Amino acid sequence: FARHAPRWQLVIWLRQSLLFIVAFAGDVLHIYTSEGFFRAARYGVAAVAVVVITVFWLLHHRTLPFAYRFQNALESYLYGSSALFLVLAMVYTALPDDPLAARLGTEALI
């Protein structure tokens, strides 16, 4: 890490812990709620994960914790691709099965 962010690893651990809690909450909802409730709640769980990723992406962009520019650019790309993947996954699960072209188009983007 760069000199101005020597404890950035703690921020990474916090992000990972929050995403783990979100994923665990999704599993708990899947196990202990009805199928109909879970179908709606999974979008909320995914939206919370997108919010967590976006907040830490903005924090990363403001801090630029790595010593080299390419490291910060790569980390920024990974944040963006993770958020985009979650959004596309939410779109894909919301699509009906009937118009196959829409589902195949979303699969190609994912």
Side-chain angles (χ1 to χ4, degrees):
F1 299 108
R3 289 186 181 144
H4 67 278
R7 292 178 183 83
W8 189 255
Q9 185 64 41
L10 298 175
V11 175
I12 293 173
W13 289 342
L14 177 62
R15 182 195 74 221
Q16 290 172 337
S17 298
L18 289 174
L19 289 174
F20 177 78
I21 290 168
V22 169
F24 182 72
D27 287 343
V28 169
L29 283 173
H30 181 62
I31 293 170
Y32 293 109
T33 60
S34 67
E35 184 67 28
F37 181 79
F38 177 71
R39 285 183 180 269
R42 65 184 172 186
Y43 298 109
V45 171
V48 170
V50 169
V51 167
V52 168
I53 290 171
T54 305
V55 166
F56 280 92
W57 188 7
L58 293 173
L59 186 61
H60 173 270
H61 184 68
R62 186 169 25 145
T63 306
L64 297 175
F66 296 111
Y68 299 108
R69 224 170 53 183
F70 78 90
Q71 292 172 314
N72 289 310
L74 178 63
E75 185 75 7
S76 186
Y77 168 77
L78 292 172
Y79 277 119
S81 62
S82 297
L84 180 63
F85 178 76
L86 283 171
V87 169
L88 288 174
M90 284 191 290
V91 169
Y92 180 78
T93 57
L95 290 174
D97 292 333
D98 190 25
L100 189 59
R103 291 189 71 83
L104 290 177
T106 308
E107 284 179 11
L109 287 174
I110 291 176

